[in-house]
Amino acid sequence: MARWGMVIDLDKCTGCQACSVACKEENNVPFGSPKEKRQRTDIYWHKVIAVSNGEYPSASTEMIPMPCMHCDNPPCVQVCPAKATYVREDGIVIQNYRRCIGCKYCIAACPYGVRNFNYKEQPDEEYHRPDLPPEHPLQVPGLSYKNTWCC
């Protein structure tokens, strides 16, 4: 069976974070408030981090997108006591949200810090995508979440 792979050209990344916004919109991820950002409880499935190199006057900054890397041997799968996180045959690391018990072990185990815990109730409001497929329902509080392969 074929295995998926993704290449992100870092030379072309401008740090606009359009990939992060698109990921939130596509997966119906709730937007966080400034308070949630300060408390680090906002949900991001696809972050873009800035890495500074060098010192003044020759300093530079690189923007690095950080989606789920879909590891070959993912630590999040190994630590999940409910077996809610697993690897599909095609190599995609996926989560069965109905099996998740909210223990946060996968969040602690993820070396890239891309797993999130939903602490809040998501308001049931109209989103920009009225055609949202049924596999992207409202996020349930008390569960951990990860991105899939839409990025």
Side-chain angles (χ1 to χ4, degrees), residues 66-109:
M66 294 288 291
C68 175
M69 298 298 176
H70 299 277
C71 307
D72 284 335
N73 189 17
C76 58
V77 171
Q78 297 169 15
V79 300
C80 183
K83 305 294 184 221
T85 303
Y86 59 96
V87 182
R88 292 189 329 203
E89 286 183 22
D90 59 1
I92 304 295
V93 178
I94 201 87
Q95 181 173 336
N96 181 340
Y97 298 112
R98 292 182 179 188
R99 292 197 71 166
C100 180
I101 59 174
C103 67
K104 303 181 196 171
Y105 289 174
C106 58
I107 296 170

Side-chain angles (χ1 to χ4, degrees), residues 1 5 18 29-30 41-42 48 52 54 67 81 88 96 98 109 114 116 120 127 133 135 137-138 146 148:
M1 163 155 259
V29 178
T41 59
D42 55 337
V48 177
S52 298
R88 292 189 329 203
N96 181 340
R98 292 182 179 188
V114 296
N116 292 276
K120 68 177 185 176
Y127 282 86
E135 64 264 16
L138 293 177
K146 69 172 294 303
T148 52

Side-chain angles (χ1 to χ4, degrees), residues 22-88:
C23 183
K24 278 186 172 276
E25 189 66 24
E26 181 66 26
N27 291 291
N28 202 16
V29 178
F31 286 88
S33 67
K35 179 182 177 185
E36 291 168 331
K37 180 74 173 166
R38 284 190 304 274
Q39 295 173 336
R40 297 178 187 254
T41 59
D42 55 337
I43 297 176
Y44 275 97
W45 283 9
H46 186 131
K47 297 177 188 176
V48 177
I49 61 171
V51 177
S52 298
N53 299 315
E55 293 184 18
Y56 180 80
S58 60
S60 65
T61 302
E62 290 181 75
M63 304 306 285
I64 302 175
M66 294 288 291
C68 175
M69 298 298 176
H70 299 277
C71 307
D72 284 335
N73 189 17
C76 58
V77 171
Q78 297 169 15
V79 300
C80 183
K83 305 294 184 221
T85 303
Y86 59 96
V87 182
R88 292 189 329 203

